[in-house]
């Protein structure tokens, strides 16, 4: 993804300033979903999977691992349903722009939508179908496993907003940031590091961020196999907000009061920003010091950059999304380990980046019905297992029943045919309520995110103090939130 030195060109203000499109966005944010024409009813005895044979639908997605796997293996869905699926994959910001324009236009170009909770679901939820109306409809095939089979936290975070009871998306992917480290480096130097540092440096449930910092500094000085102890995704980009948030929450800081509730349930009015708190300032001071001893490339890396650096032997450890495990195993088989994030003074926090897929409320008729068949199939137990086995993608299951399959349980240990499952212990711990990190699910989060990573970038460049970065971020977020979403 490209750097974002200023708020992105397609901000809310610009969107609301684009004449008719602005009016469409305001109406979309404030009104209920339009009543779409329903699909034709099935005939008696009709195969419910083939009701819409001959229909073509469009799926717009971020370029993610599960979508890569599905795009490479659409044959089973086409054979099952007779439906053709055209898939468009984009980086997230471009996807958000396309979806906003499509919904404001009132005629669906995209039937199935990768509904990022923060940049799509929260601001545009009124333009998504409430999937409750389809889940139990006897005119469709029943789900192979009930909705309750989805991991509960992910179902709420990626599929719902507020207390209206609507289900806007089914959990589709579950990237979560965890601690990734070179097993061989820690095995070789563990005893020596322990003697010099006075603690066991091996990643574990009691490891702290202070110990992580001291271990990284020790590796910088004493280890020849890798040039730097740690690397970070500290580019002026969404990745910087993600990387910092793990530290922020671990120090007891947060973006808003009831941060867990705002992240899980969502809110149109989250209240004053808390980034100017002493806990947040302390977290920023620590993060500034940590990036200061990290690989100097960190300030130009997003998640792809730090992932490549770990695989290339440039760093001994790094926080990153767990779904890089498959690439790690290909480049350095057996040499990368996985653990939950270190603890701060308050807790360990692991940012969750999962997303669901939903259906545009402007999709109608046979396309609406075919879109639901695809959402049903793409999030099913069988498809999630197939994605895990894919040679081109994978993702991580969002259904509990998939983790209980014998072949999936066996793959959590090496040798593994499903390398993303090597992270299972780490991510399962990371998804526990006291460890999961949930950014604010608010309609205006895109602008708030930009404010945070812009001010953090200025801090890392030495252009302002950590306290100033937090105070400026809080002030900018308060201004953004006070404007609200509907003009």
């Amino acid at each position: 993804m490209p750097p974002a030195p200023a708020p992105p060109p397609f901000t809310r203000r610009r969107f609301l300033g684009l004449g008719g499109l602005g009016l469409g966005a305001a109406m979309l944010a404030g009104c209920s979903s339009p009543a779409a024409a329903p699909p034709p009813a099935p005939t008696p005895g009709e195969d419910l999977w083939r009701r819409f044979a001959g229909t073509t639908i469009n799926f717009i997605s971020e370029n993610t691992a599960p979508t890569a796997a599905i795009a490479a293996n659409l044959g089973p869905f086409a054979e099952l349903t007779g439906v053709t699926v055209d898939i468009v994959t984009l980086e997230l910001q471009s996807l958000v722009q396309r979806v906003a324009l499509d919904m404001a236009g009132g005629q669906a170009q995209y039937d199935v939508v990768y509904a990022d909770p923060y940049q799509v679901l929260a601001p545009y939820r009124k333009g998504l179908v409430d999937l409750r109306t389809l889940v139990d409809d006897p005119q469709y095939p029943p789900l192979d496993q009930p909705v309750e089979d989805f991991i509960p936290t992910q179902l709420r975070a990626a599929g719902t907003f507020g207390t209206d009871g609507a289900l806007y998306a089914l959990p589709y992917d579950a990237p979560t940031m965890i601690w990734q480290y070179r097993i061989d480096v820690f095995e070789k130097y563990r005893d020596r590091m322990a003697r010099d540092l006075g603690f066991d440096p091996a990643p574990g449930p009691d490891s702290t961020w202070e110990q992580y910092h001291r271990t990284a500094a020790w590796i910088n000085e004493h280890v020849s196999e890798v040039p730097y102890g740690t690397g970070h995704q500290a580019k002026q980009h969404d990745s910087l907000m993600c990387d910092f948030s793990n530290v922020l929450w671990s120090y007891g800081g947060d973006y808003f009061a009831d941060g867990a509730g705002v992240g899980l349930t969502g809110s149109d009015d989250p209240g004053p920003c808390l980034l100017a708190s002493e806990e947040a300032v302390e977290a920023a001071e620590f993060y500034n010091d940590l990036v200061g001893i990290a690989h100097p490339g960190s300030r130009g890396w997003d998640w792809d950059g730090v992932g490549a650096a770990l695989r290339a032997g440039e760093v001994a450890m790094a926080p990153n999304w767990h779904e890089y495990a498959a690439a790690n195993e290909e480049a350095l088989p057996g040499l990368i380990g996985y653990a939950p994030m270190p603890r701060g003074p308050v807790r360990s926090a692991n940012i969750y980046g999962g997303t669901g897929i939903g259906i545009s409320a402007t999709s109608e008729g046979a396309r609406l019905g075919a879109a639901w068949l695809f959402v049903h199939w793409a999030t099913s137990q069988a498809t999630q297992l197939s994605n895990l086995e894919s040679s081109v993608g994978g993702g991580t299951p969002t259904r509990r029943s998939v983790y209980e399959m014998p072949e999936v349980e066996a793959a959590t240990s090496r040798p593994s045919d499903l390398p993303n499952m090597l992270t299972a212990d780490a991510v399962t711990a990371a998804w526990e309520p006291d460890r999961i990190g949930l950014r604010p699910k608010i309609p205006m989060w895109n602008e708030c995110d930009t404010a945070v990573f812009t001010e953090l970038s200025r801090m890392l460049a030495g252009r302002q103090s950590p306290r100033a970065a937090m105070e400026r971020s809080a002030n900018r977020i308060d201004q953004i939130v006070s404007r609200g979403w509907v003009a």
Side-chain angles (χ1 to χ4, degrees):
M1 299 182 183
F10 201 83
T11 62
R12 172 183 171 277
R13 279 181 289 178
R14 182 179 174 195
F15 186 73
L16 293 179
L18 292 177
L21 288 180
L23 178 60
M27 291 176 63
L28 183 61
C31 302
S32 60
S33 302
T43 58
E46 183 178 8
D47 182 346
L48 297 182
W49 278 108
R50 297 194 65 82
R51 286 177 60 193
F52 310 109
T55 302
T56 297
I57 61 172
N58 298 316
F59 172 31
I60 186 169
S61 173
E62 188 179 7
N63 46 358
T64 64
T67 299
I70 283 175
N73 192 31
L74 276 170
F77 180 74
E79 183 177 350
L80 177 67
T81 65
V83 172
T84 298
V85 183
D86 291 334
I87 299 178
V88 175
T89 57
L90 301 168
E91 61 86 22
L92 184 58
Q93 189 59 45
S94 296
L95 177 145
V96 173
Q97 295 174 14
R98 292 270 193 100
V99 170
L101 288 167
D102 197 45
M103 289 182 174
Q107 293 183 336
Q109 178 180 356
Y110 305 109
D111 305 284
V112 180
V113 176
Y114 182 86
D116 178 85
Y118 316 99
Q119 299 194 44
V120 174
L121 190 154
Y124 302 119
R125 62 190 182 276
K126 297 302 182 181
L128 296 170
V129 170
D130 180 356
L131 301 182
R132 293 177 311 167
T133 62
L134 303 170
V135 168
D136 297 320
D137 189 334
Q139 297 185 95
Y140 296 99
L143 298 179
D144 62 341
Q145 297 288 331
V147 168
E148 291 74 21
D149 185 44
F150 289 106
I151 296 168
T153 302
Q154 296 179 19
L155 185 65
R156 288 187 63 190
T160 69
F161 189 94
T163 58
D164 61 6
L167 179 62
Y168 297 109
L170 294 184
Y172 178 68
D173 62 12
T176 302
M177 204 172 286
I178 57 174
W179 183 356
Q180 305 183 23
Y181 60 94
R182 285 281 297 272
I183 295 172
D184 55 332
V185 171
F186 277 86
E187 286 182 344
K188 181 176 180 179
Y189 293 97
R190 181 176 180 177
D191 291 343
R192 185 176 164 193
M193 282 193 282
R195 287 196 303 270
D196 289 354
L197 298 173
F199 59 84
D200 184 354
D206 297 322
S207 299
T208 68
W209 274 115
E210 180 186 356
Q211 291 171 345
Y212 182 102
H213 184 293
R214 292 179 61 196
T215 299
W218 191 95
I219 292 172
N220 287 352
E221 184 175 351
H222 298 286
V223 174
S224 59
E225 288 89 338
V226 291
Y228 288 91
T230 186
H232 292 268
Q233 44 192 274
K235 181 179 184 177
Q236 187 171 329
H237 177 270
D238 175 61
S239 61
L240 174 53
M241 178 280 301
C242 294
D243 199 48
F244 169 70
S245 292
N246 297 310
V247 175
L248 171 70
W249 293 318
S250 77
Y251 271 72
D254 215 326
Y255 292 97
F256 300 101
D258 187 24
V262 173
L264 192 63
T265 304
S267 174
D268 288 316
D269 183 15
C273 180
L274 302 182
L275 285 182
S277 70
E278 289 305 311
E279 294 85 354
V281 171
E282 186 179 0
E285 290 171 344
F286 173 82
Y287 186 75
N288 191 46
D289 289 343
L290 180 62
V291 176
I293 67 159
H295 193 297
S298 295
R299 289 198 290 269
W301 289 340
D302 60 8
W303 36 76
D304 285 332
V306 77
L310 181 65
R311 295 191 300 274
E314 289 292 312
V315 298
M317 55 185 181
N320 206 359
W321 302 109
H322 80 277
E323 291 180 344
Y324 280 86
N328 292 344
E329 286 301 299
E330 184 175 352
L332 296 171
L335 295 184
I336 304 296
Y338 306 97
M341 288 293 189
R343 296 183 57 83
V346 174
R347 66 176 178 125
S348 165
N350 305 255
I351 190 168
Y352 163 76
T355 290
I357 54 173
I359 300 172
S360 171
T362 56
S363 184
E364 58 185 5
R367 288 176 63 180
L368 169 60
W372 169 240
L373 293 183
F374 179 76
V375 170
H376 174 171
W377 175 83
T379 60
S380 69
Q381 181 188 77
T383 300
Q384 291 197 3
L385 177 61
S386 176
N387 289 350
L388 265 180
E389 296 170 342
S390 173
S391 61
V392 299
T396 303
T398 59
R399 286 187 172 274
R400 291 181 286 188
S401 60
V402 180
Y403 292 89
E404 296 167 359
M405 294 179 171
E407 61 268 46
V408 175
E409 288 187 345
T412 61
S413 301
R414 293 184 174 93
S416 177
D417 294 329
L418 311 175
N420 278 342
M421 285 292 84
L422 295 172
T423 67
D425 289 345
V427 295
T428 299
W431 292 335
E432 292 175 359
D434 62 341
R435 279 182 168 154
I436 194 168
L438 296 168
R439 74 198 84 176
K441 190 164 61 173
I442 60 176
M444 59 292 290
W445 176 247
N446 189 33
E447 285 187 85
C448 296
D449 181 7
T450 301
V452 172
F453 67 66
T454 300
E455 297 303 335
L456 285 171
S457 185
R458 287 168 50 87
M459 175 190 77
L460 295 176
R463 296 168 59 191
Q464 64 181 352
S465 68
R467 183 175 297 276
M470 292 296 95
E471 290 176 348
R472 286 174 59 89
S473 295
N475 289 336
R476 290 180 62 175
I477 289 174
D478 282 339
Q479 292 173 13
I480 292 164
V481 171
S482 68
R483 292 201 308 267
W485 173 244
V486 181

